[in-house]
Amino acid sequence: MRTQVGIVGGGPAGALLSHLLHLQGIESVVLELRNREEVETAVRAGVLEDATAELLRETGVGKRMDQKGAVHEGIELRFGGHGHRIDFADLTGGRKIVVYGQQEVVKDLYAARLSAGGKLIYEAAATGLQDLDTPQPKIRFRRGAKLDLDAGDIRFRDDTNEEEITCDFVVGADGFFGPCRSFIPDEVRKEHVRTYPFGWFGILVEGSPSTEELIYTLHERGFALVSTRSPEVQRLYFQCDPNDKVDNWPDERIWEEMQTRLATDDGWTLKEGRIFQKDLVQMRSFICEPMQHGRLFLAGDAAHIVPPTGAKGMNLAVSDVRVLVRGLIEFYSSGRTNLLESYSETCLRRVWKASRFSWWMTSMLHRFHDEDDFRYRLQLAELDYLASSRAASTSLAENYVGLPMEVITGVPAND
Ligand code: PHB
């Protein structure tokens, strides 16, 4: 098989890349390990920065988002039993966020790709990359793949053999656990990792929202977050032990914990409902430098992970893809490689800033139970400062709605 851009991974990064390339007349093939239903129903985060939402609209995949997503103009920070609103629209000149599940974005992108005859191969695992330092890199892959979660490896149906895609470029959009990153040689690859001493316990709940905007809470017992998925489904999280098990948390215990952490003295109540999904989310910061090698480019979680507190994960995938598409357009229209050569450098500036923001939100809003009160008191003081200072609130707001896209470096002026 032959294509221009071979994309490993059909999550938000891979699916969006394939969609944007198609709009520019550039052909791609996407390999996705899971089947379509698995990707479309995976429970993931759901906050879109202003510019992410705008990009989806501009490229014709924003219709369902505008119907079903919820535009939020601020968030609430809650501590000491009081809520304090951070008004994004006021602090950032009218910018906002859209709360819309990541899997919904992927669903919209798949629908667009498939109706345009796009080539998406589900249940296909990349088994190797080759010739990355030549103009004809190759992806080896096998169909009939199934991820065996218990064993932590991939199994294949017996009736499939290895196949090969010859491309001009390979994009590793295969997530944190995908194989592509390891094809950047060890001597040039540096991985920065920070794990946090807690995880998030997430639940999906039937019922109407308890609040119009997201609530981020710091309580003595730990962090909690009230988010939403739709007028009928709510998404809630609370900080837990990173090694905790879903089975340790019967519904009653969950509600008691959430009610305690979110309690206020102004009569607000958290609505309870039927819990129909429970999951544990790991908290990790991870950055791989560089994000490219020869004709291989990494995008999204394959290159970086942020803890979910700043809601940046999918937005970073989108900003990587934006930079990559500009580079590929430049290459296919003029043969120049300036933008592709500076891909990693351009992306990493934004990635580090988003990582800083996510680390900062995480550090401020969680209990570090193994540390003394000094740290906790500083966190409360920081929240108090945020709630009372327009300058501090503006810093949070402009990061949350999304910093401006980088001016792309490496573009020769006037030619
Ligand atoms: C979510 O709705 O899943 C969500 C919202 C905000 C976050 C993280 C997750 O910071």
Side-chain angles (χ1 to χ4, degrees):
M1 204 185 304
R2 150 104 209 133
T3 191
Q4 289 175 298
V5 182
I7 304 173
V8 184
L16 178 65
L17 177 62
S18 176
H19 172 64
L20 298 183
L21 290 176
H22 166 71
L23 297 181
Q24 299 293 330
I26 301 169
E27 192 190 279
S28 64
V29 173
V30 178
L31 300 178
E32 169 55 46
L33 180 56
R34 292 161 297 173
N35 65 40
R36 186 172 175 185
E37 199 197 328
E38 282 167 337
V39 188
E40 292 188 348
T41 55
V43 185
R44 305 300 299 267
V47 173
L48 309 185
E49 291 176 358
D50 205 28
T52 300
E54 199 47 42
L55 177 70
L56 297 177
R57 279 185 203 111
E58 278 167 8
T59 61
V61 284
K63 204 162 158 204
R64 241 170 38 95
M65 172 189 77
D66 282 331
Q67 286 163 358
K68 297 193 173 266
V71 174
H72 288 200
E73 296 198 350
I75 54 167
E76 179 181 325
L77 295 177
R78 189 176 288 186
F79 57 99
H82 299 286
H84 303 269
R85 181 160 190 261
I86 304 289
D87 186 333
F88 296 156
D90 173 44
L91 294 164
T92 65
R95 298 176 62 203
K96 336 167 185 337
I97 54 162
V98 180
V99 180
Y100 185 59
Q102 171 175 322
Q103 69 283 3
E104 301 301 321
V105 173
V106 172
K107 232 185 252 181
D108 298 340
L109 289 166
Y110 283 179
R113 283 314 289 126
L114 294 170
S115 76
K119 192 136 200 182
L120 257 156
I121 309 178
Y122 295 101
E123 298 182 356
T127 48
L129 306 180
Q130 277 174 331
D131 303 333
L132 295 172
D133 47 5
T134 75
Q136 298 232 301
K138 294 169 192 69
I139 304 172
R140 278 184 288 121
F141 74 100
R142 200 170 151 187
R143 298 175 203 252
K146 177 105 192 118
L147 186 61
D148 181 337
L149 281 175
D150 294 331
D153 65 6
I154 297 167
R155 312 215 178 267
F156 295 94
R157 269 199 337 258
D158 290 343
D159 61 340
T160 63
N161 291 312
E162 213 167 47
E163 298 174 56
E164 195 172 83
I165 310 176
T166 304
C167 333
D168 300 330
F169 299 97
V170 173
V171 177
D174 50 343
F176 180 67
F177 294 105
C180 289
R181 186 170 64 247
S182 66
F183 288 88
I184 300 181
D186 289 350
E187 314 82 80
V188 295
R189 190 175 80 238
K190 170 129 183 68
E191 298 189 346
H192 304 267
V193 191
R194 170 119 334 169
T195 50
Y196 298 87
F198 38 74
W200 279 10
F201 197 105
I203 56 172
L204 283 171
V205 181
E206 270 175 12
S208 55
S210 303
T211 161
E212 280 180 14
E213 294 178 338
L214 273 55
I215 305 174
Y216 289 81
T217 312
L218 174 62
H219 182 271
E220 228 181 325
R221 295 182 58 83
F223 170 80
L225 170 62
V226 181
S227 179
T228 182
R229 280 291 170 277
S230 70
E232 300 84 33
V233 174
Q234 309 315 315
R235 179 70 164 148
L236 311 177
Y237 300 95
F238 61 92
Q239 173 183 351
C240 65
D241 186 287
N243 302 313
D244 218 332
K245 300 266 176 300
V246 164
D247 292 345
N248 292 340
W249 290 89
D251 297 5
E252 250 162 67
R253 184 174 173 216
I254 293 175
W255 288 121
E256 200 181 308
E257 196 61 41
M258 286 298 290
Q259 296 287 8
T260 304
R261 295 188 192 187
L262 284 153
T264 61
D265 48 17
D266 64 4
W268 179 87
T269 49
L270 175 67
K271 288 187 200 160
E272 298 186 9
R274 188 177 77 84
I275 299 174
F276 63 95
Q277 163 112 21
K278 301 178 185 177
D279 53 277
L280 287 163
V281 181
Q282 298 300 320
M283 303 286 281
R284 180 191 280 127
S285 293
F286 170 83
I287 299 174
C288 168
E289 291 185 316
M291 290 169 54
Q292 68 192 93
H293 180 72
R295 291 229 167 175
L296 168 67
F297 296 84
L298 302 181
D301 285 5
H304 40 71
I305 297 277
V306 287
T309 327
K312 287 283 160 253
M314 175 169 43
N315 295 295
L316 278 183
V318 170
S319 51
D320 289 351
V321 166
R322 235 182 235 274
V323 178
L324 190 51
V325 168
R326 306 242 306 247
L328 290 168
I329 293 171
E330 182 193 52
F331 174 84
Y332 283 111
S333 59
S334 71
R336 280 202 307 260
T337 54
N338 304 50
L339 290 180
L340 286 175
E341 279 160 28
S342 55
Y343 170 74
S344 181
E345 191 189 325
T346 306
C347 289
L348 283 167
R349 287 180 66 192
R350 187 178 184 83
V351 167
W352 275 108
K353 279 181 250 184
S355 298
R356 183 212 67 83
F357 176 66
S358 307
W359 161 86
W360 171 73
M361 287 282 278
T362 304
S363 308
M364 176 172 68
L365 286 163
H366 290 74
R367 270 318 294 272
F368 291 72
H369 289 293
D370 54 341
E371 294 192 28
D372 61 17
D373 257 8
F374 183 73
R375 180 185 188 125
Y376 180 51
R377 297 300 293 268
L378 290 183
Q379 289 172 239
L380 291 172
E382 180 150 31
L383 284 162
D384 198 12
Y385 169 57
L386 262 174
S388 58
S389 157
R390 189 172 173 91
S393 301
T394 303
S395 168
L396 190 160
E398 68 182 3
N399 277 280
Y400 201 105
V401 299
L403 294 175
M405 288 296 297
E406 296 286 342
V407 174
I408 305 234
T409 53
V411 197
N414 304 324
D415 81 343

